[in-house]
Amino acid sequence: MALYSEKVMDHFRNPRNVGVIEDADGVGEVGNAKCGDIMKMYLKIEDGIVKDVKFETFGCGSAIASSSMATELIKGKPVEEARQLTNQAVAEALDGLPDYKMHCSVLAQEAIEAALKDYESKKEE
Amino acid sequence: MIYADNAATTKMSEAAVNIMSSLIRDTYGNPSSLYSFGQKAKEVLEQAREEIAGLIGAEPREIIFTSGGSEADNQAIISAARLGAKKGKKHIVSSAFEHHAVLHTLNKLSKEGFEITLLDVHENGIIKPEEVASAIREDTCLVTIMYANNEIGTVQDIKSIGEICREKGVLFHTDAVQAVGHLKINVKEQNIDMLSASAHKFHGPKGVGFLYARKGILLTNLIEGGAQEKGRRAGTENVPGIAAMAEALKEAVADIDKNTARLIPVRDRIIAGLNEIPHSALNGDAGSRLPSNINFCFEGIEGESLLLLLDDKGIAASSGSACTSGSLDPSHVLLAIGRVHDVAHGSLRLSIGEDITDEEADYIINSVKEVVEYLRGFSPVWRDLVAGKTQFIL
């Protein structure tokens, strides 16, 4: 039995939306190196739509796959929809994660929340 | 596939497979049965005991067959603790980077009122014999120090530690699971009172190992039942496994010089190659280490993703990262030699086999370089390090 689903391995081997957006409208970083996982999300938002999203991740296979899947799930979606992304949705889209790896999907959700929060606070300035 | 995880387990030798399968098929009698068919199995069993004893400088009656290294560790430590407790001695000296079979047993004893001193293993993963000497007290009943570390491969000065224990009249046990069959061992010359070994680490089968206990040491039985193993370990003996273990050990010991001469240059070639990766570091002493062991930390990446990508390249290896252990903490061994969490998560252990070629060694070096560079390419930790926002540790 494989450790991860084929979907997880696909997103781990070929992560989507990897990289940096230099002039991002919102940036969120969660996790810490002590625990072995850090995710950073960059958002480009136009007319209330997530036009572009990129990520950088330090972490295990499921952390990289969760970041990748999360970016796929919000790209091109209205900000309101992106805000409602749950970790369960990320895990389900990956055809499931092992129990002890569910925190990776939580981290992906939190990274997007943090990036959106950053976007909101910048907008208010 | 390049199998570079021989510290986890090894491929069984052909001779061991042959002996095991022939015994399973043909010599299935119970060694405790009195008819000749059972006694034939008994003969096989006792011959294996004699061979194994001879290979480590012990006497046959000093060898107790177990289910593996963990059971042997448990039995050795519990036995010494029970003997000590009778005399009011409830202090044990060990080290911070022992295998969990030792550490968890010690933890259990500490809950029963034993006091445990875990010696520092220093940055190089080497225990100083003089620190063993100064840790021994009037009420010390056991010193248990591993022969060679399973993660970073560092080898201890067992003879000196044994000598100190002998002088002070304290029992000395060594978890030699990674050493037996790979390093020359003589329990008498090295002053070892008890030693644990596991067959599958030296090309024998899984589920079988042995405990050497010097004659005169009263062992506590962990498994109650029949009178097998002179009443020291109940349960019908795993005759095919035990015979295969003896065969594998015979071969391994005969080949120690040849294997060491082959492995050390390849090991050092890989170490030199991986040292070229910026912000990386070898874990454990470069000289006093198992001929098969290479263990590195790479800053800015995480070990599990490294292993998965190496697997895609056909390399089977291991890591001390938290994500590979199922816990939140990285390897206690890496923490014990002073690696901080951030760096310990990015570790890689390669334990190469005797049949490795130079081409395979170079393929490993190039693959690790490639994967580390790739993962650093989208690591926010690496980005911050390179940008000078955080300080490099390695």
Side-chain angles (χ1 to χ4, degrees), chain B residues 103-169:
Chain B
L103 287 180
H104 289 177
T105 305
L106 294 176
N107 197 25
K108 190 166 82 175
L109 288 170
S110 80
K111 284 176 189 152
E112 292 174 20
F114 280 80
E115 204 184 320
I116 316 293
T117 299
L118 295 182
L119 294 172
D120 190 353
V121 298
H122 306 282
E123 276 181 20
N124 61 354
I126 304 287
I127 294 154
K128 293 180 178 158
E130 62 268 29
E131 293 184 357
V132 176
S134 51
I136 293 174
R137 314 188 311 211
E138 282 298 312
D139 62 340
T140 304
C141 61
L142 172 72
V143 171
T144 173
I145 301 282
M146 74 198 313
Y147 203 120
N149 185 270
N150 52 309
E151 289 187 37
I152 60 171
T154 51
V155 178
Q156 306 305 327
D157 182 357
I158 290 300
K159 191 178 177 182
S160 299
I161 296 171
E163 205 176 332
I164 289 163
C165 296
R166 198 59 59 87
E167 275 169 17
K168 299 199 179 242

Side-chain angles (χ1 to χ4, degrees), chain A residues 3-4 9 12-13 15 18 20 29 33-38 40 42 55-62 64 100-101, chain B residues 300-302 304-305 308-309 312 322-324 326 328 330 341-342 345 374-375 377-381 383-384 389:
Chain A
L3 177 63
Y4 293 128
M9 287 310 291
F12 166 65
R13 290 186 180 116
V18 172
V20 176
E29 184 174 313
K34 197 167 183 276
C35 300
D37 290 302
I38 293 187
K40 197 165 182 177
Y42 302 83
F55 81 90
E56 290 183 305
T57 291
F58 161 89
C60 59
S62 68
I64 291 170
Y100 69 103
K101 295 285 189 179
Chain B
I301 62 155
E302 192 280 328
E304 191 212 75
S305 42
L308 291 170
L309 292 171
D312 281 350
C323 280
T324 58
L328 282 177
H341 279 67
D342 314 39
H345 286 298
Y374 166 74
L375 288 171
F378 62 98
S379 160
V381 174
R383 168 177 295 280
D384 286 351
K389 284 186 194 165

Side-chain angles (χ1 to χ4, degrees), chain B residues 19-40:
Chain B
I19 284 197
M20 198 164 169
S21 58
S22 109
L23 287 170
I24 286 172
R25 199 179 298 112
D26 305 322
T27 316
Y28 56 84
N30 189 322
S32 299
S33 301
L34 60 83
Y35 41 78
S36 53
F37 186 56
Q39 286 306 301
K40 198 182 164 202

